[in-house]
Amino acid sequence: MLSELSEWFWQERLWFPEGLGWADLEDRDGRVYAKPSDLWVALPITLVFLIVRQIFERTVATPLAFLLGVKETVRLKAPHNPTLECYYCNVSKTPSQSSIGSLCKQTGSSERQIQRWFRRRRNQDRPSLLKKFREASWRFTFYLLAFIAGLAALIDKPWLYDVKEMWEGFPVLTLLPSQYWYYMIELGFYGSLLVSVASDVKRKDFKEQIVHHVATILLISFSWCVNYIRAGTLIMLVHDSSDYFLESAKMFNYAGWRNACNYIFIMFAAAFIITRLIIFPFWIIYCTWVYPVTIYKPFFGYYFFNGLLMTLQCLHIFWAILIIRIAIRFLTNNEKVDDERSDKDETDESEEEEEEVKDKNHSRKNGPMQNGHTIHNNNHRKTE
C-alpha cells in the first residue's frame, strides 16, 4: 500500500513537464542537482534554530531590552476564587452581563468586583513586553542576516536582473553550495516558527500566520524537488527584504521609542508595498505563471507551485490593508503606530488603572469607605 502510494506520489507527470523526469536530475560529470532526500537536512537545522533562539533570547535579547529601556509593568493578580476560575477556564474569559449577575449571586461579590477580577485574570495571561521584545529581536536578527546572505548569494547571478533567466536550461540546473545552504537555512527557520507558534505571542492573524508558514514550507520544499531553485531564491530574497524593518519597529515600540518606531514603520510599509504588491506579483509571479508556458506545456507542478504563490499574494494583500490603515492614521493624525493584529485584551490594564484612579478619587471625595459604603459620622457639632 505504501509503496503504491509512494509510486503514485512521485510519478514524473505530476512533477515535471512532458519529456522530462527524475533521470534528468541525477548527478553526473561533476554536476550536482537538488534531490528530495536533501530536505531531511532541514529537520536538525530546525532543532538547532529552536536551541539557538533560547540562547539568543537569554544572552542577547534580554540585556538589549534592558539597555533600550523596556519596562515591565507590575500586574495585579486576581485573588484566588475557584468559582470564577472555573468559569474563566471552561466557559469564557469575558462573561456577558447576564453571566456576571449569576456569578455575583454565586460568589457574593459585586458586579464591579467580578469585572475587575476578570480583567486582572486576563492580564495575567497576557504576554509581557519582555517576551514580545525577545521574539521581535530574534526575528529581526534572522531576517536581516538572511537578507544580507541572500543578496550576497544572488548579487552575481543573471536571474536577479533578468527573471526570465531563472528558466534557462530548466530543469537541468546545477545546484550551487550557496543555494543549498540558503534553502536549508530558510526551510529550517520556517520549520522552527511553525513549531514555536503555539508558545509565541498570539495575535488576531494567528490563523493567517499558520497558513503563511505552511505555504512557505510547501513552496520551499516543492521548488527544491522540481529544481525551481532559481525562482525560489528570488522569492525568499523578496520576502526577507522588508520583514526586518517591521521587527525593528516592534522592538522600538516595546521600548517606548515612539518616533523611531513610527519612522521605521513607514520605511517598512514602503518596502512591503514595493516588494510584495509590485515586484512579487508583476515580476516573479508573472515569470512563473506566464513565461513557462512558452517553453513547455502546463503540468500539475506548474499549477501547484503558482497556486502556492497566489496564496502568499492573498496574504500579502490582507496584511497590506492593515499596514496602509496604520500608516494613514500616523501620517494624517500623527497617532502612535499600533499593531492592529494585537489582542484587544491589551487595553485591559489601562482600563484597570483608570478604575483604580477613580476609586482613589472617590475615596478622597467621600471620606473613608467600608465595604464600598461611606462611613457615617454621627458626631456632628451643633452650631449655635
Side-chain angles (χ1 to χ4, degrees):
M1 179 65 180
L2 291 177
S3 60
E4 292 178 357
L5 181 62
S6 176
E7 184 178 349
W8 175 86
F9 182 79
W10 294 109
Q11 56 184 314
E12 293 178 343
R13 68 183 183 87
L14 294 179
W15 296 81
F16 294 98
E18 185 178 352
L20 299 172
W22 298 112
D24 296 297
L25 299 183
E26 293 180 358
D27 297 345
R28 56 183 175 272
D29 301 329
R31 298 166 66 90
V32 179
Y33 301 96
K35 305 175 187 61
S37 58
D38 296 334
L39 296 176
W40 291 109
V41 176
L43 292 180
I45 293 178
T46 297
L47 180 60
V48 169
F49 268 121
L50 292 172
I51 296 173
V52 171
R53 174 178 175 175
Q54 296 300 318
I55 298 172
F56 175 88
E57 289 185 355
R58 286 174 170 78
T59 60
V60 178
T62 300
L64 180 61
F66 293 141
L67 183 64
L68 293 179
V70 176
K71 298 178 180 179
E72 289 283 43
T73 54
V74 179
R75 294 173 182 169
L76 299 174
K77 292 186 177 181
H80 179 65
N81 190 311
T83 302
L84 299 181
E85 185 67 27
C86 180
Y87 186 95
Y88 179 88
C89 296
N90 301 321
V91 183
S92 175
K93 296 181 179 181
T94 52
S96 62
Q97 193 63 35
S98 59
S99 299
I100 290 177
S102 175
L103 292 171
C104 288
K105 295 178 182 178
Q106 296 178 45
T107 60
S109 304
S110 67
E111 181 177 314
R112 192 169 186 176
Q113 288 173 328
I114 296 295
Q115 292 172 340
R116 179 177 298 167
W117 188 94
F118 275 92
R119 266 197 305 275
R120 290 182 178 180
R121 185 63 182 84
R122 287 194 297 268
N123 283 333
Q124 286 179 216
D125 289 345
R126 283 176 50 215
S128 65
L129 280 180
L130 183 58
K131 177 178 174 61
K132 293 179 180 180
F133 183 90
R134 285 173 172 175
E135 289 185 12
S137 60
W138 164 248
R139 289 193 292 265
F140 163 77
T141 302
F142 175 81
Y143 289 137
L144 179 60
L145 294 178
F147 175 68
I148 294 173
L151 194 60
L154 293 174
I155 195 68
D156 59 341
K157 304 300 185 295
W159 58 89
L160 178 63
Y161 309 99
D162 182 4
V163 289
K164 291 183 179 180
E165 288 289 332
M166 70 173 72
W167 302 115
E168 185 68 28
F170 175 84
V172 189
L173 304 175
T174 305
L175 177 64
L176 304 175
S178 59
Q179 294 173 327
Y180 176 87
W181 287 111
Y182 190 25
Y183 254 79
M184 294 302 112
I185 289 174
E186 287 275 355
L187 186 58
F189 177 75
Y190 281 102
S192 70
L193 288 184
L194 190 61
V195 171
S196 63
V197 71
S199 59
D200 288 345
V201 177
K202 287 186 175 62
R203 303 183 185 276
K204 290 180 181 179
D205 64 344
F206 176 76
K207 293 180 180 179
E208 287 81 3
Q209 285 184 339
I210 295 292
V211 173
H212 176 269
H213 295 340
V214 172
T216 302
I217 291 172
L218 288 175
L219 185 62
I220 293 175
S221 302
F222 180 80
S223 62
W224 178 268
C225 291
V226 296
N227 220 12
Y228 282 6
I229 294 177
R230 293 180 179 178
T233 53
L234 288 178
I235 293 168
M236 291 188 293
L237 182 67
V238 166
H239 281 73
D240 290 336
S241 62
S242 61
D243 287 341
Y244 60 88
F245 282 118
L246 175 62
E247 300 305 331
S248 60
K250 289 181 182 179
M251 292 166 62
F252 285 114
N253 182 38
Y254 301 145
W257 294 33
R258 177 179 174 181
N259 290 334
C261 167
N262 289 348
Y263 293 116
I264 292 176
F265 183 83
I266 295 301
M267 293 170 62
F268 159 72
F272 186 94
I273 291 171
I274 293 172
T275 57
R276 308 290 182 91
L277 300 186
I278 299 177
I279 294 177
F280 185 69
F282 295 107
W283 267 268
I284 295 180
I285 293 183
Y286 177 83
C287 201
T288 60
W289 186 270
V290 177
Y291 185 70
V293 296
T294 64
I295 305 174
Y296 52 77
K297 292 182 179 179
F299 61 106
F300 171 78
Y302 163 83
Y303 293 113
F304 183 73
F305 183 73
N306 284 285
L308 291 174
L309 294 183
M310 293 305 297
T311 300
L312 288 181
Q313 186 57 34
C314 289
L315 291 173
H316 294 164
I317 295 172
F318 168 77
W319 282 318
I321 293 172
L322 298 180
I323 292 167
I324 293 172
R325 189 182 302 168
I326 297 171
I328 290 175
R329 274 208 315 263
F330 165 66
L331 292 174
T332 56
N333 302 322
N334 196 28
E335 294 181 8
K336 178 183 177 182
V337 169
D338 288 320
D339 192 348
E340 291 199 354
R341 303 174 304 154
S342 300
D343 293 335
K344 196 172 182 180
D345 281 348
E346 293 186 8
T347 62
D348 286 350
E349 192 166 342
S350 59
E351 289 174 3
E352 183 167 347
E353 290 174 357
E354 290 176 4
E355 285 214 3
E356 294 288 346
V357 171
K358 288 179 182 178
D359 286 346
K360 290 178 182 178
N361 292 338
H362 188 67
S363 176
R364 293 192 190 102
K365 183 177 180 180
N366 297 315
M369 305 287 283
Q370 188 176 43
N371 294 329
H373 300 284
T374 306
I375 301 175
H376 296 285
N377 183 6
N378 294 321
N379 297 325
H380 297 290
R381 292 183 62 188
K382 294 182 179 179
T383 55
E384 297 294 338

